[in-house]
Amino acid sequence: MADRHLTAPQIRARKGGDRLVSVTCYDATFARLVDAAGVDVVLVGDSLGMVVQGHDSTLPVTLEDVIYHTRAVSRGLARAHLVADLPFLTYQIDDREALRNAGRLVVEGRAQSVKLEGGVRSATAIRRIVEAGIPVMGHIGLTPQSIHQFGGFKVQGRAEAAAEALMVDARAVQEAGAYAIVLESVPGKLARRITEELQIPTIGIGASAACDGQVLVLYDLLGMDPDFNPKFLKKYDDLATRIRDAVSNYGREVRDGTFPDDAHSFHCD
Ligand code: KIV
């Protein structure tokens, strides 16, 4: 798999060059489509807890869930780099456990790298995983596994002290050996400062065009949820309406007997 796919060193080398395009993905069918669309980095995010499983946060997602979805996505990719999220409490307890769980995402899930949340507080776990040969993507700013600490999904780093703390976090992630870092929901000015200072690519979500790349949750950019409209999100389609229309047209034709018609039925020789 690694031969045909973009590697972590290749993604790191894109710093300051062609912008990185990343989306989340959770199954093989969508994986084939996003890979064919030229996406560079496919993330099996723990956002699957919200958009696939219907939870109101990412906290209930298990390592088994991410392994299952990562293996499915791996079957659909030909070129994109595959990164999988370490869920809540799979890397915070101790660094040995973090390494063991990262290893499971790579061996059982067939991920090429792993992502975990946190700056200074996660630096020793990042180092331990990287030293074992597994590339790590960092994630700072609005880290959804800490929503209860933040008091909700809120922009981070607005005040000067909070911005300075995020600068320290960004440096810690880089120094620990991460090959890239997600900046989520931070002001554009801070994203620019972090991007200019770090030697690894920054991948933004709600962090302005100053970053070296962008990531969006696939279901969000496709417009699957009409009620989810945060400021940072641009919807590139309205699949909620299109899927509802397609399925209701199917239902109408089943009810009135026009489906299946002759063209969709089998005939004797
Ligand atoms: O879980 C996820 O989908 C993520 C992205 C939003 C970066 O972490």
Side-chain angles (χ1 to χ4, degrees):
M1 174 170 180
D3 294 349
R4 295 176 289 128
H5 291 254
L6 281 175
T7 63
Q10 286 169 330
I11 288 157
R12 191 191 162 127
R14 293 269 288 271
K15 174 72 188 179
D18 290 345
R19 287 203 168 97
L20 290 159
V21 179
S22 180
V23 293
T24 67
C25 194
Y26 317 101
D27 67 38
T29 300
F30 273 114
R32 270 193 293 276
L33 294 171
V34 304
D35 194 84
V39 163
D40 300 309
V41 179
V42 167
L43 165 67
V44 181
D46 59 1
S47 51
L48 73 86
M50 300 174 79
V51 297
V52 176
Q53 297 174 332
H55 296 296
D56 60 3
S57 79
T58 61
L59 299 177
V61 174
T62 66
L63 191 68
E64 272 63 33
D65 293 335
V66 180
I67 290 171
Y68 173 89
H69 286 278
T70 305
R71 211 169 36 225
V73 169
S74 78
R75 295 186 198 110
L77 298 185
R79 170 192 171 269
H81 180 86
L82 177 56
V83 51
D85 253 347
L86 277 162
F88 183 53
L89 292 190
T90 63
Y91 58 94
Q92 292 96 334
I93 291 167
D94 70 52
D95 297 345
R96 278 166 57 92
E97 212 174 308
L99 173 56
R100 188 177 302 115
N101 291 332
R104 288 192 63 196
L105 290 179
V106 171
V107 175
E108 298 172 46
R110 305 186 67 225
Q112 294 168 272
S113 65
V114 302
K115 177 168 82 58
L116 57 82
E117 298 181 4
V120 173
R121 69 181 159 90
S122 297
T124 62
I126 295 174
R127 189 177 300 283
R128 184 79 191 255
I129 297 168
V130 171
E131 281 174 358
I134 300 172
V136 175
M137 179 182 283
H139 183 165
I140 63 167
L142 170 52
T143 43
Q145 292 172 15
S146 305
I147 45 155
H148 294 310
Q149 202 166 43
F150 297 143
F153 293 94
K154 294 182 177 157
V155 176
Q156 301 296 303
R158 278 194 151 128
E160 203 175 317
E164 285 314 315
L166 282 176
M167 283 302 309
V168 173
D169 278 335
R171 287 184 202 116
V173 168
Q174 171 170 279
E175 276 157 29
Y179 71 94
I181 184 168
V182 170
L183 306 181
E184 180 163 353
S185 292
V186 298
K189 201 170 148 198
L190 175 60
R192 178 173 300 285
R193 220 182 121 197
I194 295 173
T195 301
E196 283 173 0
E197 184 178 314
L198 293 193
Q199 276 114 51
I200 58 174
T202 57
I203 301 178
I205 173 165
S208 86
C211 299
D212 297 298
Q214 299 292 324
V215 60
L216 280 177
V217 170
L218 184 61
Y219 287 27
D220 295 348
L221 83 88
L222 294 177
M224 301 274 266
D225 181 356
D227 300 323
F228 186 63
N229 297 295
K231 181 176 162 78
F232 70 82
L233 175 61
K234 179 170 176 184
K235 294 184 178 176
Y236 287 84
D237 208 319
D238 177 14
L239 282 200
T241 303
R242 296 217 281 158
I243 291 171
R244 233 176 8 231
D245 287 353
V247 176
S248 89
N249 286 340
Y250 161 71
R252 184 174 34 76
E253 293 193 1
V254 168
R255 285 183 204 104
D256 69 17
T258 53
F259 177 83
D261 58 8
D262 214 38
H264 295 96
S265 302
F266 297 107
H267 303 284
C268 298
D269 291 339

